[in-house]
Amino acid sequence: MGGDHGLKTTVPACLSALKKFPDLHICLVGIAKDIEQFLTAHKTSYDTTRLSIVNANEIVEMDESPALALRNKKDSSMRVAINLVKSGDVDACVSAGNTGALMATSKFVLKTLNEIDRPAIVYAIPSLDRKTKKMNPVYMLDLGANVNCSSEQLFQFGIMGSVLAANLKGTERPRVALLNIGEEEMKGLDSIKQAAKMLQNCDHINYIGYVEGNDIFSAKADVIVCDGFAGNIALKTMEGTAKLIADMLKDSFNNSIFSKLAMLISAPVLTGLKRKLDTNQYNGASLLGLRGIVIKSHGGASAEAFETAIYEAIKEIKYNIPQKTQAQIERIMQS
Amino acid sequence: MGGDHGLKTTVPACLSALKKFPDLHICLVGIAKDIEQFLTAHKTSYDTTRLSIVNANEIVEMDESPALALRNKKDSSMRVAINLVKSGDVDACVSAGNTGALMATSKFVLKTLNEIDRPAIVYAIPSLDRKTKKMNPVYMLDLGANVNCSSEQLFQFGIMGSVLAANLKGTERPRVALLNIGEEEMKGLDSIKQAAKMLQNCDHINYIGYVEGNDIFSAKADVIVCDGFAGNIALKTMEGTAKLIADMLKDSFNNSIFSKLAMLISAPVLTGLKRKLDTNQYNGASLLGLRGIVIKSHGGASAEAFETAIYEAIKEIKYNIPQKTQAQIERIMQS
């Protein structure tokens, strides 16, 4: 039910994903009659054995207080969906709903892994390896769940991110870095300096030091750890800069008849670039550190983008991310 | 002497500025024999009555510890130049040198204005008003001088930024915002929430609320206040994103013979865009809150960019920024 466009994006995305993955089962959680009506109205054919509907009578609004949603909406589509993860009826939950409510509800219902204080939001950021000229996304966390983080929490994010990158990128020893405002050891917040020591001393983590904001995009690291405040500032700044350049590019090409002509000729090149940077291909943030898989789609995601978030869930199920993370944490705590 | 290219950029920039501003006097501070040699070797003609050389025997290295530079290099070009501001022999100092050392030395020699705890680094960030389709730069501070900031310091940055924007942008009531990770009042760090109350209660400041990272570029505010950690993360992320897109654009246009042709045709449009986003036009950060004008040029600045930093100094001299800031602070403290 969530996101800016509700069923119009989530349902077509699910139907498309079902076609592509013959083993996939999807359970649509929400106002059952609305979902049924939508499916009927759109005369979509689908494998009824692999698509089920679970009714939920309430909806968490996009701007609702997470604490109130958690307390008052026990029959919301979000809560019911996360309950299904908890009971083991489903392997993962994907939502385009209210991020704060999704985080609060997931944490309350699923709980965090042993030795993990708080879950973090992680997302694969486009990053370009200038040597190979290939895109090499970097997993950045936390992107906004935790405003203040202790050094212990940053250390835990390092472990969580490292397990995710090792499995999803297939890198044996993913390079883990801390986001800071200088590369020198003495710089930055105390929590970061202390976390650096902890990461440095951990044999199970390939810690490479500090990186700065501009290094996010140069594929220097596979995992970048930061508190949710810095992470969210970086993520939003990134979005804003990309939009500024896109708008200016558009304006530049609309300036004169000559530049409109240039635009026509360059269109395929620019479309190729747009596709590379497309949020449709970079949708699906993971709520990491929980005893279960919860994926957050961008609220404004298109059906195509929401489908990408479903694939993110499939990958995390395939690689058993929560279990592998728990095992790694226990290994580290015992050593 | 400072920056990545030393005299090769600073001297030509000064000579060009002297030509453009008939009232301008420039005092080159550094190893006198090197400067003289450079001027002779380049056979440059200049008005000797408006260009003088002041000798300094030492140089602060770009990676030197600010504390050590301050303690041990009392005859560095940086220190001597700032001493000239202090004595009133010059109206402003422009440097492409070590930022930390420039800040520490300026603070030690010039001192901060009354009621200002710490100086901040402020910089005009390119921002696009989507309604008028015009660029409308936003003054953002602090960009890295102060890792942790109290609410009082953020409030002071609000006053300082507001005076700067009012004068340099010619806006009567510049819109002042706080950088945060959500627009809701409850979100973010305690220091930010407290600073919001202080700015809200101040009649002399046109406080408009919180903005997020993506709002930096949408001309929503004239001044954006943040601590040096968040500001530096945002600034560097911005640089990194712009570089990523530029590199991908270049690669896209080099992909095939067709796209190379498209590149040739689009070149003037892209050059126009590049000029709009050009760091040459956005060079010259100000060290605000001092009893004197100190401008920091990007270390890697070209001669053209260094010249822009000189113009920034000229503007701040013209508008008497330190005096006006002091007057406004006193007005606010008395009200």
Side-chain angles (χ1 to χ4, degrees):
Chain A
M1 310 302 294
D4 302 342
H5 315 295
L7 299 175
K8 268 183 285 182
T9 59
T10 51
V11 175
C14 290
L15 297 177
S16 171
L18 283 171
K19 271 187 200 146
K20 285 184 200 149
F21 286 82
D23 294 338
L24 178 65
H25 286 68
I26 290 185
C27 177
L28 297 169
V29 185
I31 317 280
K33 73 169 179 24
D34 289 359
I35 300 172
E36 279 155 11
Q37 216 167 17
F38 185 93
L39 286 167
T40 314
H42 290 76
K43 291 193 186 63
T44 37
S45 70
Y46 54 88
D47 182 348
T48 48
T49 61
R50 295 196 288 123
L51 187 78
S52 53
I53 298 170
V54 169
N55 186 57
N57 290 310
E58 293 171 305
I59 295 170
V60 175
E61 302 299 331
M62 291 303 273
D63 54 359
E64 199 165 342
S65 141
L68 289 181
L70 181 61
R71 198 183 311 147
N72 301 331
K73 295 212 170 155
K74 294 197 177 148
D75 195 22
S76 69
S77 52
M78 190 184 274
R79 180 69 168 265
V80 173
I82 296 169
N83 284 341
L84 292 174
V85 177
K86 170 82 176 172
S87 63
D89 288 309
V90 303
D91 291 312
C93 161
V94 182
S95 169
N98 181 322
T99 311
L102 187 68
M103 180 53 98
T105 309
S106 301
K107 201 183 155 193
F108 178 78
V109 173
L110 298 175
K111 313 290 181 229
T112 54
L113 297 171
N114 288 334
E115 311 285 344
I116 295 291
D117 296 334
R118 293 199 232 158
I121 299 177
V122 64
Y123 186 68
I125 309 272
S127 193
L128 180 70
D129 187 327
R130 287 188 172 83
K131 270 187 215 147
T132 63
K133 295 204 172 180
K134 286 208 175 118
M135 296 303 280
N136 187 2
V138 50
Y139 285 93
M140 194 160 157
L141 72 168
D142 173 31
L143 292 177
N146 311 287
V147 171
N148 287 304
C149 292
S150 67
S151 51
E152 285 77 16
Q153 284 160 355
L154 294 173
F155 177 63
Q156 292 161 14
F157 296 169
I159 302 174
M160 282 151 52
S162 191
V163 172
L164 190 72
N167 284 281
L168 267 48
K169 292 182 80 171
T171 320
E172 213 174 310
R173 281 178 62 74
R175 298 156 301 163
V176 178
L178 279 163
L179 184 66
N180 204 342
I181 64 167
E183 289 176 15
E184 305 81 7
E185 269 186 38
M186 54 177 187
K187 282 210 174 172
L189 302 166
D190 288 338
S191 57
I192 297 176
K193 286 186 245 183
Q194 196 54 41
K197 280 184 202 154
M198 295 172 75
L199 288 165
Q200 187 80 65
N201 290 334
C202 177
D203 294 337
H204 292 82
I205 291 179
N206 179 16
Y207 175 66
I208 60 161
Y210 295 147
V211 293
E212 295 187 73
N214 49 331
D215 299 320
I216 300 172
F217 314 94
S218 58
K220 259 194 182 179
D222 298 301
V223 178
I224 295 180
V225 172
C226 54
D227 66 42
F229 189 81
N232 195 274
I233 296 283
L235 184 71
K236 295 276 173 72
T237 303
M238 207 176 302
E239 285 175 14
T241 311
K243 187 159 171 18
L244 174 72
I245 297 175
D247 285 354
M248 289 178 72
L249 202 58
K250 220 169 128 191
D251 282 358
S252 300
F253 275 117
N254 276 325
N255 249 339
S256 65
I257 293 180
F258 167 77
S259 53
K260 275 183 192 159
L261 184 74
M263 173 62 161
L264 271 177
I265 291 164
S266 309
V269 181
L270 295 173
T271 308
L273 172 67
K274 211 178 154 194
R275 198 167 298 141
K276 266 197 206 165
L277 280 172
D278 198 349
T279 47
N280 287 348
Q281 289 188 40
Y282 282 94
N283 191 36
S286 183
L287 273 50
L288 221 54
L290 295 165
R291 294 168 190 255
I293 298 165
V294 180
I295 305 294
K296 170 68 176 77
S297 158
H298 199 287
S302 64
E304 192 191 338
F306 194 81
E307 208 178 317
T308 311
I310 298 174
Y311 299 152
E312 186 65 32
I314 295 174
K315 276 190 273 179
E316 295 197 17
I317 295 168
K318 182 179 161 196
Y319 288 106
N320 256 326
I321 298 300
Q323 292 85 336
K324 280 199 182 141
T325 308
Q326 188 67 80
Q328 180 72 336
I329 291 162
E330 279 161 18
R331 217 170 287 132
I332 288 172
M333 294 304 161
Q334 281 161 14
S335 69
Chain B
M1 311 302 295
D4 302 344
H5 315 296
L7 299 175
K8 266 182 286 181
T9 59
T10 51
V11 175
C14 290
L15 297 177
S16 171
L18 283 172
K19 271 187 201 146
K20 285 181 200 152
F21 286 80
D23 294 339
L24 178 66
H25 286 68
I26 290 184
C27 177
L28 297 169
V29 184
I31 315 281
K33 71 169 177 28
D34 288 0
I35 300 173
E36 279 155 12
Q37 214 167 19
F38 185 92
L39 287 167
T40 314
H42 290 75
K43 291 193 186 65
T44 37
S45 69
Y46 54 90
D47 182 349
T48 48
T49 62
R50 296 196 288 123
L51 187 77
S52 54
I53 298 170
V54 169
N55 187 57
N57 290 310
E58 291 169 306
I59 295 170
V60 175
E61 301 300 331
M62 291 303 273
D63 55 359
E64 198 165 343
S65 142
L68 289 180
L70 181 61
R71 197 183 312 146
N72 301 330
K73 294 212 170 154
K74 295 196 178 148
D75 195 23
S76 69
S77 51
M78 188 183 276
R79 180 70 168 265
V80 173
I82 295 168
N83 285 342
L84 291 174
V85 177
K86 170 82 176 173
S87 63
D89 288 308
V90 302
D91 293 311
C93 161
V94 182
S95 168
N98 180 322
T99 311
L102 187 67
M103 180 53 98
T105 308
S106 301
K107 200 183 155 193
F108 178 78
V109 173
L110 298 174
K111 312 291 181 231
T112 53
L113 297 171
N114 288 334
E115 311 284 344
I116 295 291
D117 296 335
R118 293 197 233 159
I121 299 177
V122 65
Y123 186 67
I125 310 272
S127 195
L128 180 70
D129 187 328
R130 287 186 172 83
K131 271 186 214 149
T132 63
K133 296 206 171 177
K134 286 210 174 117
M135 296 304 280
N136 186 3
V138 50
Y139 285 93
M140 192 160 159
L141 72 167
D142 173 31
L143 293 177
N146 311 288
V147 171
N148 287 305
C149 291
S150 67
S151 51
E152 284 78 16
Q153 284 161 355
L154 294 173
F155 176 63
Q156 293 162 13
F157 295 169
I159 304 173
M160 283 152 49
S162 192
V163 172
L164 190 72
N167 285 282
L168 267 48
K169 291 182 83 171
T171 320
E172 213 174 309
R173 282 178 61 73
R175 300 156 300 163
V176 178
L178 279 163
L179 185 66
N180 203 341
I181 64 167
E183 289 176 15
E184 304 83 7
E185 269 188 37
M186 55 178 189
K187 283 207 174 172
L189 302 167
D190 288 336
S191 57
I192 297 176
K193 286 186 247 181
Q194 196 54 39
K197 282 185 200 155
M198 297 172 75
L199 289 165
Q200 187 80 64
N201 292 334
C202 178
D203 293 337
H204 291 83
I205 291 179
N206 179 16
Y207 175 66
I208 60 161
Y210 295 148
V211 293
E212 295 187 74
N214 47 331
D215 299 320
I216 301 172
F217 314 95
S218 58
K220 261 194 180 179
D222 299 302
V223 178
I224 295 181
V225 173
C226 54
D227 67 41
F229 190 81
N232 196 274
I233 296 283
L235 184 72
K236 295 275 173 72
T237 302
M238 208 176 301
E239 286 175 11
T241 310
K243 187 160 171 21
L244 174 72
I245 297 175
D247 285 353
M248 288 177 73
L249 203 58
K250 218 169 128 190
D251 283 358
S252 301
F253 275 116
N254 276 325
N255 249 339
S256 65
I257 292 178
F258 167 78
S259 53
K260 275 183 192 159
L261 184 73
M263 173 61 162
L264 272 177
I265 293 164
S266 308
V269 182
L270 296 173
T271 307
L273 172 67
K274 211 178 153 194
R275 198 167 300 139
K276 267 199 208 166
L277 280 172
D278 198 349
T279 48
N280 287 348
Q281 288 189 40
Y282 282 92
N283 191 37
S286 183
L287 272 49
L288 222 53
L290 295 165
R291 296 169 188 253
I293 299 166
V294 180
I295 305 293
K296 168 69 175 80
S297 157
H298 199 288
S302 64
E304 193 193 336
F306 193 82
E307 208 178 319
T308 311
I310 297 173
Y311 299 152
E312 185 65 31
I314 294 175
K315 278 190 273 178
E316 296 198 18
I317 295 168
K318 183 180 161 196
Y319 288 105
N320 257 325
I321 298 300
Q323 292 86 335
K324 280 199 182 139
T325 308
Q326 188 67 79
Q328 179 72 335
I329 291 163
E330 277 161 19
R331 218 169 288 134
I332 288 172
M333 294 304 160
Q334 280 162 14
S335 68

